[in-house]
Amino acid sequence: MGAWGIGHWLVVGVLVILLFGGARFSNMMGDVAKGIKQFKKGMAEDDDAPPPSRIEGKAAPEPAVEHEAERTAEKR
């Protein structure tokens, strides 16, 4: 009782296609597939990034950035 069988899902599928139309439903599924591909591509790009370098269990210090104001103050 309450279990959805294959017959119920077929009826739901036919109703969805009738409501949205075949072309619109096909376009929606194509957009979903493109989104999944972009997600997988983004996840693969994250895997390619090198891990941050470690020094004795701590993160490596970031290189110092000299700002324009500091350079002019030192020249005075």
Side-chain angles (χ1 to χ4, degrees), residues 53-65:
S53 59
R54 299 283 178 177
I55 300 174
E56 296 179 16
K58 296 182 181 179
E62 294 193 20
V65 177

Side-chain angles (χ1 to χ4, degrees), residues 10-26 28:
L10 288 174
V11 170
V12 170
V14 169
L15 289 175
V16 167
I17 290 174
L18 288 174
L19 289 174
F20 292 112
R24 187 170 176 190
F25 185 74
S26 176
M28 282 193 306

Side-chain angles (χ1 to χ4, degrees), residues 38-54:
Q38 289 289 7
F39 177 76
K40 287 182 179 180
K41 182 180 177 184
M43 293 301 290
E45 288 174 359
D46 288 346
D47 291 342
D48 293 342
S53 59
R54 299 283 178 177

